[in-house]
Structures are given as C-alpha cells and as structure tokens.
Amino acid sequence: RGLGDVYKRQALFSGPLGLHNFYTGRWGRALFYMVTMGFLMFGWLYDLFMIATNKFKDANGDYIVR
C-alpha cells in the first residue's frame, strides 16, 4: 500500500482533529483543525474532496498521490 492510501484512511477517520495535516507537515493547519474541529467540518470535507481528486498537496507543494 502506498502513502496515499495511508493518508486517505488517516484523513477519513481522524480528519476533524487534523492528524492528516500533521502527517504531511502542515503543522499550522493541523493545530487550527484541532482547535476548530476541522474548521467546523467544512475544511475536513474539502480535504476529503481534494484527496479523492488527487489534488491535495503536502507542505512542500507536492501532490499526495494514491
């Protein structure tokens, strides 16, 4: 299994806590998600959409590919 599969599962099950953002090195966004429960769930749903369409980027600007 690739890193994209691991990331996708992590975003699905722990997305509102922002743990998937820690995994990609986006620390500020992860802390923001933890405080706001995934930016009131809208940010988490947006991230799931971006992951499903292979357009989500990590802290270096590289795409996370499944």
Side-chain angles (χ1 to χ4, degrees):
R1 297 183 182 206
L3 291 176
D5 290 334
V6 173
Y7 180 76
K8 183 172 42 173
R9 272 188 250 120
Q10 190 176 32
L12 183 63
F13 296 114
S14 63
L17 296 176
L19 300 182
H20 61 289
N21 288 308
F22 281 115
Y23 185 73
T24 58
R26 300 171 88 177
W27 297 91
R29 186 174 179 165
L31 292 172
F32 181 70
Y33 269 46
M34 289 182 97
V35 172
T36 63
M37 283 302 291
F39 194 63
L40 303 176
M41 303 299 264
F42 292 110
W44 175 55
L45 293 173
Y46 174 77
D47 285 350
L48 288 177
F49 175 76
M50 295 302 282
I51 292 165
T53 58
N54 289 327
K55 295 182 181 177
F56 195 84
K57 295 181 182 181
D58 64 7
N60 296 326
D62 299 324
Y63 288 101
I64 304 272
V65 181
R66 53 181 165 146

